[in-house]
Amino acid sequence: MNNQDPRGGMHFAGYRIGETFCLSPSSSIIAVDEVPKELNQIPGTKPWLMGAGRLDRQLLPFVNISRFLNISLPHLAVGSSALFVKGGEGIGNVALVVDEICGFVLASELRDCEQSNFMIPPGLGKSMRKAVTARGQTWALIDLPALIADDKLQNVDLT
């Protein structure tokens, strides 16, 4: 995936987690794809760990990020798309299942906005860098490597 526009701007991937619209630099994303119908279940894990699947030759955990953040919104569709996120130093790659893929936005379209009235789920707070507007929508700018580095996500208790 090329994260640069031919005119010189960076792309941001747009997605929704619960009711929160998020943007992340596409440089932190390996791929965007549908969740495989058949995932290898891992017995005894948390409900947010959907199982393991492959991206090319690499086996990745599939994490339903809405479940991980305890977001339950029955009126919204359950996610069927995944962002394959590059893990940082000492952290493997992770497939984050999101509620909706909203497309790609150029950096030149982003405008800073006032965060005082902007609400996000508590678990996104550590990875949110700021609120921005683009295309008539307010977005949380999320650092995906920081999100997948969360201790609770990295230390899956199998007992």
Side-chain angles (χ1 to χ4, degrees), residues 33-138:
D33 204 353
E34 291 184 6
V35 176
K37 297 209 185 312
E38 296 293 323
L39 289 172
N40 296 315
Q41 296 299 310
I42 303 167
T45 57
K46 303 287 185 189
W48 45 262
L49 184 59
M50 299 171 64
R54 291 199 180 276
L55 176 65
D56 298 324
R57 296 178 138 185
Q58 186 178 17
L59 189 63
L60 300 173
F62 278 73
V63 173
N64 182 313
I65 195 65
S66 289
R67 280 188 186 166
F68 177 73
L69 297 172
N70 293 317
I71 298 170
S72 176
L73 300 170
H75 63 283
L76 294 172
V78 175
S80 62
S81 298
L83 301 173
F84 294 83
V85 180
K86 293 178 191 175
E89 186 70 29
I91 298 171
N93 299 336
V94 174
L96 284 183
V97 178
V98 296
D99 296 310
E100 178 184 7
I101 300 291
C102 303
F104 289 90
V105 177
L106 288 174
S108 60
E109 297 178 62
L110 303 182
R111 302 289 176 257
D112 288 343
C113 75
E114 179 64 40
Q115 288 184 202
S116 62
N117 295 328
F118 190 66
M119 303 288 290
I120 62 166
L124 281 179
K126 288 192 268 183
S127 59
M128 181 178 157
R129 299 302 171 238
K130 62 181 173 177
V132 296
T133 59
R135 300 181 183 177
Q137 179 71 49
T138 302

